[in-house]
């Protein structure tokens, strides 16, 4: 390990550490534009120049490995003058449009120009101008501002795995471009806006909307998929203006998927802000008292077996727990949080969690993906898989739909027969898993939400046991969920009780008239044709599928408008605080259920959110431990028996990544992505004007 001296401070660092990284360990800040700790080193901005004794000229510290006996000066006159010269060169062609630039207030170039810029320019020539580039509906360009740091190029190539940006021409004519002008197709493209140190790349939906000092910032968690990315919600007044990622090394590092970042404009569209009651076949606005009176009439005189409840993909744990207590107090065991009917065993947490953990992917040396397309189901998690694959020595086999996952894979087959062949040892990939030290399997909803899902689950468990995926210090059995509410619902028991019905049975019984009242807690991903004969209460925040079939609509709060608890696919409990207030007369979901319990004569035993959370933690102790991935104990689960080859291929549950939930379906930005990137026309709903 080389030992060097930086600004008079001695430090010993591992071999291969750069001078810039060594300085950071000492708390010494060196300015930079092109260097980023999660990207390959480019060393092309030259802003990080330092003086090193016995070297003839200033050296780029980001690309200079620390050497034994080096004496580095970061604040010498030579180093400071070199940085001032670099800054002067960078500003030669940079336009003077800071007052209208969306990067204003968050611009690295602005900040460093204050320290290293001259008070006047020395150049009289015309500034270079570069034409704008079309990168799609999410990224706005002003390429005259570009300083050619290539962060965007390196991110899309190395991290996202979609090499659609590059540099053309040379010298003064160099430009960052897509070669052939078209929209970026990466589900992670919005991250290049965060990476850009100047205003060359900015957010198109957020253009000219606000300045950073106007915004109220709330640290929260994303609910558009089950990864649970750490985010920051920026709001002005009662409007969410933008969502940015936060650093979370164990989950999302510092990346965020495009839908999670840009679908928030859907929070303003198609909102339910007053209660509605169906009268003479039409939904009409009503008061809360009228809506609750209609709920009481709809449930009056019904036996417990005639009542059911379904929870949607964005429901918070508090609302699900409150609704579970209410439905059970009415004598019903018919409730389910699995809208797709996925065959998951709620009694064995290890059967429905990502037991390896997301960060643990980097320790694996073989992977089998079954019935999942992680690129669209969990883009940030997929980037972690790509990160591991880029190091080499990592075989990835896929059983399911053919897709470009951004890393090299072996497509083994599409259906259950291939999984059976691997289990039987007929398929060569079985040997790959058996020889690996830390093999893992990722089981998706495309494999579990089928009629034979329970047998697929059992076969995956048997394969994990046979190939040594489960052993001391390592559990390679993983389920990748697509719904933020799913693991929390399973943990707290929002599943059929003894003799109760699951999602498919509830819908079938409702179509036969056996179930006469159904409570939908934000459940919009279900087949609603069978609900025509039932009394339907829809509690949610958008006029989506569930609201169209409702007899009573109770306007709830979206994830930014309430304090709620979610559990990600790893089993990590995450508490998201309220960033803004719900619109109109909408209320937080647990409060609606609590008020309804009084009307139905089954008053729930809590009057505050803290009391509800205490009751939830007492019922499911895992909710008392936050921000820790908790692997479950291994136990038998799933059904045994040969898999049915005639059941057809595994199909990913997500066909259109940009529109998977009520918020994204209402989002104008996501509609634009659907048209421009996928070439599809968004389906109209009953609430479209």
């Amino acid at each position: 390990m080389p030992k060097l001296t930086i600004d008079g401070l001695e430090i010993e660092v591992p071999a291969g550490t750069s001078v810039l990284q060594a300085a950071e360990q000492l708390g010494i800040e060196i300015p930079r534009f092109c260097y980023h700790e999660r990207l390959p080193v480019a060393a092309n901005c030259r802003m990080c120049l330092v003086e090193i004794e016995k070297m003839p000229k200033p050296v780029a510290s980001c690309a200079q490995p620390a050497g034994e006996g080096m004496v580095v000066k970061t604040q010498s006159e030579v180093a400071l003058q070199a940085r001032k010269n670099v800054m002067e060169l960078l500003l030669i062609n940079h336009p003077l449009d800071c007052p209208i630039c969306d990067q204003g207030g968050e611009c690295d170039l602005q900040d460093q120009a204050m320290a290293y810029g001259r008070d006047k320019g020395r150049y009289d020539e015309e500034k270079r101008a570069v034409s704008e580039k079309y990168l799609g509906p999410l990224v706005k360009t002003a390429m005259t501002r570009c300083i050619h740091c290539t962060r965007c190029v390196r991110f899309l190539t190395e991290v996202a795995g979609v090499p659609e940006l590059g540099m053309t021409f040379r010298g003064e004519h160099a430009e960052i471009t897509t070669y052939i002008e078209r929209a970026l197709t990466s589900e992670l493209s919005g991250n290049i806006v965060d990476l850009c140190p100047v205003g060359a790349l900015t957010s198109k939906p957020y253009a000219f909307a606000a300045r950073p000092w106007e915004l109220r910032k709330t640290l929260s968690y994303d609910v558009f998929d089950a990864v649970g990315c750490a985010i920051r919600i920026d709001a002005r007044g009662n409007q969410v203006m933008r969502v940015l990622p936060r650093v979370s090394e164990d989950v999302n590092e510092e990346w965020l998927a495009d839908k999670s970042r840009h679908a928030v404009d859907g929070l303003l569209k198609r909102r339910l802000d007053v209660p509605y009651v169906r009268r003479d076949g039409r939904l009409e606005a009503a008061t809360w008292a009228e809506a609750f009176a209609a709920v009481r009439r709809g449930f009056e005189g019904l036996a417990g077996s005639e009542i059911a409840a379904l929870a949607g993909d964005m429901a918070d744990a508090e609302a699900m727990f409150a609704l579970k207590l209410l439905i059970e107090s009415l004598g019903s065991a018919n409730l389910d949080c699995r809208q797709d009917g996925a065959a998951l065993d709620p009694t064995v947490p290890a059967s429905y969690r990502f037991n390896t953990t997301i960060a643990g992917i980097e320790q694996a040396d073989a992977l089998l993906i079954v019935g999942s397309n992680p690129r669209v189901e969990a883009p940030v998690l997929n980037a972690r898989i790509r990160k591991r694959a880029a190091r080499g020595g990592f075989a990835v086999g896929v059983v399911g739909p053919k897709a470009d996952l951004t890393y090299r894979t072996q497509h083994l087959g599409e259906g259950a027969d291939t999984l059976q062949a691997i289990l039987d040892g007929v398929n060569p990939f079985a040997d790959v898993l058996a020889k690996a030290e830390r093999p893992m399997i990722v089981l998706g909803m495309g494999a579990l939400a089928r009629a034979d899902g329970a047998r697929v689950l059992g076969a995956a468990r048997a394969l994990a046991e046979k190939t040594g995926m489960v052993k001391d210090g390592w559990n390679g059995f993983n389920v990748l969920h697509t719904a933020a509410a799913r693991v929390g619902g399973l943990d707290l028991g929002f599943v059929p009780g003894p003799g109760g019905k699951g999602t498919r049975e509830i819908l079938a019984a409702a179509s036969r008239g056996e179930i006469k009242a159904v409570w939908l807690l934000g459940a919009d991903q279900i087949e609603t044709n069978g609900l025509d004969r039932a009394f339907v209460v829809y509690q949610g925040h958008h006029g989506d599928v569930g609201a169209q079939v409702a007899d009573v609509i109770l306007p709830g709060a979206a994830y930014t408008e309430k304090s709620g608890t979610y559990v990600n696919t790893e089993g990590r409990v995450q508490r998201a605080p309220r960033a803004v207030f719900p619109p109109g007369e909408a209320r937080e979901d647990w409060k609606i259920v609590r008020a309804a319990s009084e009307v139905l004569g089954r008053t729930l035993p809590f009057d505050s959110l803290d009391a509800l959370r205490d009751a939830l933690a007492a019922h499911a102790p895992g909710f008392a431990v936050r921000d820790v991935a908790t692997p479950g104990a291994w136990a038998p689960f799933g059904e045994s028996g040969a898999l049915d080859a005639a059941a057809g291929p595994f199909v990913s549950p997500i066909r259109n990544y940009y529109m998977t939930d009520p918020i994204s379906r209402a989002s104008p930005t996501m509609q634009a992505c659907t048209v421009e990137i996928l070439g599809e026309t968004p389906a109209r709903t009953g609430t479209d004007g």
Side-chain angles (χ1 to χ4, degrees):
M1 295 176 64
K3 184 180 294 185
L4 67 160
T5 302
I6 305 178
D7 291 349
L9 302 175
E10 197 172 79
I11 185 173
E12 189 174 10
V13 296
T17 302
S18 69
V19 171
L20 186 149
Q21 292 169 326
E24 284 188 335
Q25 293 181 31
L26 289 170
I28 298 171
E29 183 177 354
I30 298 176
R32 83 292 299 265
F33 290 117
C34 69
Y35 174 79
H36 191 280
E37 57 271 18
R38 302 189 197 278
L39 300 177
V41 174
N44 53 10
C45 77
R46 320 308 288 180
M47 194 63 199
C48 64
L49 294 174
V50 296
E51 182 182 2
I52 300 179
E53 288 187 3
K54 300 181 181 179
M55 289 194 176
K57 59 183 180 181
V59 177
S61 59
C62 68
Q64 177 63 49
E68 180 66 34
M70 269 187 180
V71 178
V72 181
K73 299 176 182 178
T74 69
Q75 300 298 317
S76 67
E77 184 60 33
V78 171
L80 294 178
Q81 187 58 49
R83 293 173 195 163
K84 290 179 180 179
N85 292 340
V86 169
M87 177 61 69
E88 186 174 19
L89 292 172
L90 289 175
L91 294 177
I92 288 175
N93 287 312
H94 199 79
L96 302 176
D97 57 359
C98 295
I100 62 165
C101 177
D102 272 323
Q103 198 81 350
E106 300 171 313
C107 179
D108 292 349
L109 186 63
Q110 275 186 338
D111 295 341
Q112 294 184 35
M114 290 295 294
Y116 300 102
R118 295 172 60 93
D119 59 350
K120 62 185 67 175
R122 295 189 292 167
Y123 292 83
D124 297 326
E125 292 82 2
E126 295 290 332
K127 287 180 177 287
R128 182 185 78 145
V130 181
S131 62
E132 308 305 341
K133 305 296 185 291
Y134 175 75
L135 301 183
L138 302 180
V139 180
K140 182 177 182 291
T141 66
M143 302 311 290
T144 302
R145 303 169 185 160
C146 180
I147 62 171
H148 301 157
C149 72
T150 69
R151 280 186 179 185
C152 55
V153 177
R154 285 175 283 149
F155 173 82
L156 286 177
T157 302
E158 303 294 336
V159 178
V162 184
E164 296 179 330
L165 279 182
M167 184 177 290
T168 60
F169 310 117
R170 300 177 66 184
E172 186 181 2
H173 302 291
E175 298 182 14
I176 301 293
T177 178
T178 54
Y179 308 112
I180 299 174
E181 194 165 289
R182 61 187 179 91
L184 299 176
T185 61
S186 171
E187 295 79 12
L188 297 167
S189 64
N191 291 287
I192 65 177
V193 172
D194 297 338
L195 289 170
C196 184
V198 296
L201 303 175
T202 56
S203 171
K204 187 174 287 187
Y206 178 71
F208 310 123
R211 287 298 194 185
W213 53 84
E214 299 179 75
L215 304 176
R216 183 178 64 256
K217 301 168 178 61
T218 305
L219 307 185
S220 187
Y221 295 95
D222 172 52
V223 301
F224 282 94
D225 56 31
V227 175
C229 296
I231 60 172
R232 191 186 82 197
I233 301 171
D234 288 358
R236 183 175 61 188
N238 206 40
Q239 180 180 347
V240 174
M241 302 300 295
R242 65 177 180 179
V243 168
L244 298 175
R246 290 189 289 127
V247 174
S248 175
E249 297 292 347
D250 291 335
V251 181
N252 59 298
E253 297 183 297
E254 60 184 87
W255 315 128
L256 188 62
D258 288 345
K259 180 171 55 180
S260 305
R261 183 189 296 266
H262 290 295
V264 291
D265 58 350
L267 293 169
L268 299 175
K269 307 293 183 181
R270 306 179 189 170
R271 290 304 304 268
L272 300 173
D273 55 1
V274 296
Y276 287 86
V277 175
R278 192 174 295 276
R279 301 187 180 103
D280 299 325
R282 293 179 58 87
L283 285 169
E284 297 179 358
T287 64
W288 276 105
E290 292 171 338
F292 282 137
V295 172
R296 185 179 63 249
R297 291 193 299 270
F299 280 76
E300 199 167 27
L302 296 183
S305 60
E306 298 175 318
I307 298 172
L310 296 174
D313 292 347
M314 289 184 164
D316 58 281
E318 291 86 351
M320 285 191 286
F321 182 61
L323 184 57
K324 168 184 164 67
L325 296 182
L326 175 59
I327 296 300
E328 290 178 344
S329 71
L330 294 171
S332 175
N334 305 321
L335 64 165
D336 207 340
C337 62
R338 299 163 293 185
Q339 292 188 91
D340 54 9
L344 297 163
D345 189 342
T347 64
V348 183
S351 72
Y352 59 80
R353 290 183 178 169
F354 205 94
N355 297 289
T356 303
T357 72
I358 296 172
I361 292 172
E362 298 188 34
Q363 308 303 318
D365 51 6
L367 168 62
L368 177 64
I369 300 174
V370 180
S372 176
N373 180 347
R375 177 173 173 179
V376 296
E377 295 172 22
V380 172
L381 185 145
N382 192 63
R384 185 84 73 152
I385 297 176
R386 174 179 165 77
K387 180 180 180 182
R388 173 62 189 90
R391 296 206 326 255
F394 186 62
V396 181
V398 175
V399 180
K402 286 185 177 181
D404 177 11
L405 299 182
T406 72
Y407 40 86
R408 182 173 296 177
T409 63
Q410 301 176 41
H411 188 257
L412 308 174
E414 296 190 349
D417 55 334
T418 304
L419 179 60
Q420 184 68 56
I422 298 173
L423 178 59
D424 294 339
V426 178
N427 191 295
F429 203 78
D431 293 334
V432 175
L433 295 174
K435 292 176 181 178
E437 291 185 11
R438 291 188 177 89
M440 61 181 286
I441 185 173
V442 172
L443 195 58
M445 295 300 107
L448 297 176
R450 307 182 349 149
D452 62 345
R455 275 184 292 167
V456 173
L457 181 65
R461 175 187 59 80
L463 179 62
E465 294 172 345
K466 181 178 179 180
T467 56
M469 290 185 187
V470 182
K471 51 193 172 185
D472 290 342
W474 180 257
N475 187 338
F477 183 87
N478 303 292
V479 173
L480 178 57
H481 292 276
T482 56
R486 186 66 54 82
V487 177
L490 293 169
D491 282 352
L492 63 86
F494 201 96
V495 292
K501 295 180 173 61
T503 299
R504 292 193 178 100
E505 293 79 12
I506 289 172
L507 297 177
S511 66
R512 296 191 300 265
E514 297 171 5
I515 286 183
K516 299 180 180 178
V518 180
W519 194 299
L520 302 179
L521 179 61
D524 294 282
Q525 303 296 115
I526 58 174
E527 180 55 59
T528 58
N529 293 336
L531 297 177
D532 295 343
R533 300 180 62 183
F535 176 80
V536 178
V537 175
Y538 177 78
Q539 180 180 339
H541 41 78
H542 277 74
D544 209 80
V545 175
Q548 295 175 39
V549 298
D551 295 287
V552 177
I553 294 177
L554 306 177
Y559 76 105
T560 57
E561 301 159 359
K562 59 187 174 185
S563 182
T565 302
Y566 301 88
V567 185
N568 80 340
T569 194
E570 305 169 292
R572 187 185 301 269
V573 177
Q574 301 171 319
R575 186 165 293 175
R578 182 180 61 206
V580 295
F581 288 94
E585 297 182 36
R587 297 292 181 266
E588 294 186 32
D589 291 299
W590 77 267
K591 292 183 178 180
I592 296 174
V593 177
R594 172 62 175 77
S597 70
E598 288 190 25
V599 174
L600 296 174
R602 300 289 193 276
T603 303
L604 296 177
F606 45 79
D607 295 316
S608 67
L609 183 59
D610 288 339
L612 169 55
R613 285 174 170 165
D614 290 342
L616 174 58
H619 173 77
F623 282 91
V625 181
R626 285 188 283 162
D627 295 320
V628 176
T630 53
W634 192 254
F637 55 84
E639 294 181 1
S640 59
L643 299 178
D644 184 8
F650 297 136
V651 179
S652 173
I654 295 180
R655 188 190 60 80
N656 177 358
Y657 162 74
Y658 298 101
M659 304 181 77
T660 58
D661 54 85
I663 299 176
S664 61
R665 284 193 287 269
S667 165
T669 301
M670 294 298 98
Q671 293 176 18
C673 289
T674 298
V675 173
E676 297 188 38
I677 299 175
L678 301 182
E680 300 179 5
T681 301
R684 294 175 63 84
T685 71
T687 56
D688 285 328

